Amino acid sequence: AAGKHVGMIVVNRIRNVKPFSQVDLRIATIFSSQAAQAIQNANLYGQLQEARDQLVQSEKMASIGQLAAGVAHEINNPLAAILGFAQLLLEDTTLTESQRADLQTINSESLRCRTIIQDLLQFSRRRSPQMGAVDIGALIKSTVGLVQHDFMVAGVDINVHVPADLPMAWGETGLVQQVLLNLVTNARQAMEGKQGHLLEVSAAVHEKQVSIRFKDNGPGIPKDIQGKIFDPFFTTKPVGQGTGLGLSICYGIVQQHGGSLRVESDSGKGATFIVELPLEAAATRIAA
């Protein structure tokens, strides 16, 4: 199919020793061509479905991003006033214990709201990445170093498998690290508090891209919600423990880099998040 070997058809005769004729060969050739075309059509259909899904996701995120920016700006000013007054009142030495506890609750919850607003603004501001060579191997190792203590406290092991000769990817190092950090943190949170859990982070070259896999043996993701996990504000975490924007932001960053982000999972059998980014060499050839 399309000049590539996708399989082999073997034809044998076990009851008749008569050699194959030119007609037999012609029939076999026609059948092989039709089989190859059928395989090619199936591959093209799969690619079309994936492209359509990515387009729908992009349009959905763009429209929600505009809404998020407006909401964030409208809330930011009154929230700043609430925070300012709460912190000012906390300096009053005549407060009772009950009053101080109430004000501390107002202050802490307002700070949580501010974090959500910052996430909203980050989600809506899709600035163009400052593209350059990204050492994915070094970036993975430094990211794992940042979370190593948190994983140890949570009782989750983390292993890294990165070849020494992994080529450079093309992107903005800071944004790519944000994606990696979010994915390893999500995996830890999914497995936290349970024994015998492991996250394996690996990288390899796959079809002119660097493929980074985050494979955990946690609870997995049910099939019925896998299509929603990259949607803005969708979260399975308890109220107050997540904004539902982390994976959406990651999805947007990876798309801006000309890559892809997807998940493979069966409920109860862990999950694997796969990030694919263009190679530096391939990207610079296209740009040239």
Side-chain angles (χ1 to χ4, degrees):
K4 296 181 180 179
H5 293 289
V6 295
M8 180 182 296
I9 297 176
V10 178
V11 182
N12 290 314
R13 278 181 170 161
I14 58 176
R15 294 187 179 182
N16 189 344
V17 294
K18 182 180 179 181
F20 290 109
S21 66
Q22 287 298 319
V23 173
D24 295 328
L25 180 61
R26 179 62 178 164
I27 292 172
T29 301
I30 293 172
F31 175 77
S32 300
S33 298
Q34 291 176 337
Q37 189 60 52
I39 294 171
Q40 177 71 356
N41 289 343
N43 288 336
L44 289 174
Y45 180 76
Q47 292 170 11
L48 180 62
Q49 288 288 99
E50 183 178 350
R52 187 202 66 178
D53 292 344
Q54 289 178 349
L55 180 61
V56 169
Q57 184 74 15
S58 297
E59 291 177 346
K60 184 190 303 181
M61 292 176 71
S63 60
I64 293 179
Q66 293 177 350
L67 175 63
V71 171
H73 283 295
E74 288 296 324
I75 294 176
N76 209 30
N77 289 337
L79 181 64
I82 293 170
L83 265 171
F85 279 113
Q87 291 168 355
L88 184 64
L89 288 170
L90 281 169
E91 295 176 4
D92 188 344
T93 57
T94 65
L95 292 174
T96 66
E97 288 187 13
S98 176
Q99 289 171 330
R100 185 170 298 279
D102 289 343
L103 281 170
Q104 286 173 340
T105 299
I106 292 171
N107 186 66
S108 62
E109 290 302 299
S110 297
L111 288 172
R112 188 166 71 86
C113 288
R114 188 171 67 180
T115 299
I116 293 172
I117 288 174
Q118 289 170 347
D119 286 346
L120 282 169
L121 289 173
Q122 182 180 4
F123 174 74
S124 62
R125 290 171 182 164
R126 294 295 173 83
R127 68 173 179 81
S128 298
Q130 302 301 305
M131 307 297 276
V134 180
D135 188 339
I136 291 293
L139 203 55
I140 289 174
K141 291 173 183 176
S142 66
T143 302
V144 169
L146 291 173
V147 302
Q148 196 81 55
H149 177 73
D150 291 338
F151 269 72
M152 182 180 67
V153 171
V156 179
D157 292 328
I158 181 168
N159 291 340
V160 176
H161 309 280
V162 178
D165 59 349
L166 187 72
M168 294 284 188
W170 185 246
E172 182 178 324
T173 297
L175 291 176
V176 174
Q177 183 164 43
Q178 182 180 346
V179 173
L180 303 185
L181 187 59
N182 190 285
L183 292 176
V184 296
T185 300
N186 277 3
R188 175 185 59 77
Q189 291 173 344
M191 297 183 287
E192 197 166 7
K194 299 173 183 176
Q195 297 299 316
H197 280 97
L198 170 69
L199 173 65
E200 293 182 278
V201 184
S202 61
V205 175
H206 176 68
E207 295 184 355
K208 298 181 181 179
Q209 292 186 313
V210 177
S211 178
I212 313 158
R213 301 174 69 90
F214 301 82
K215 181 180 180 181
D216 68 62
N217 61 352
I221 303 170
K223 293 289 185 185
D224 60 335
I225 67 170
Q226 286 182 25
K228 304 175 184 177
I229 62 172
F230 299 115
D231 288 353
F233 310 112
F234 179 83
T235 180
T236 57
K237 295 176 183 176
V239 176
Q241 294 188 21
T243 62
L245 286 171
L247 285 177
S248 296
I249 292 171
C250 291
Y251 186 93
I253 290 173
V254 173
Q255 271 205 326
Q256 283 183 306
H257 281 66
S260 64
L261 171 60
R262 66 183 190 277
V263 65
E264 297 174 354
S265 179
D266 289 316
S267 185
K269 297 182 179 179
T272 302
F273 283 84
I274 302 162
V275 178
E276 291 184 331
L277 297 170
L279 289 172
E280 179 200 12
T284 51
R285 277 200 303 270
I286 293 172

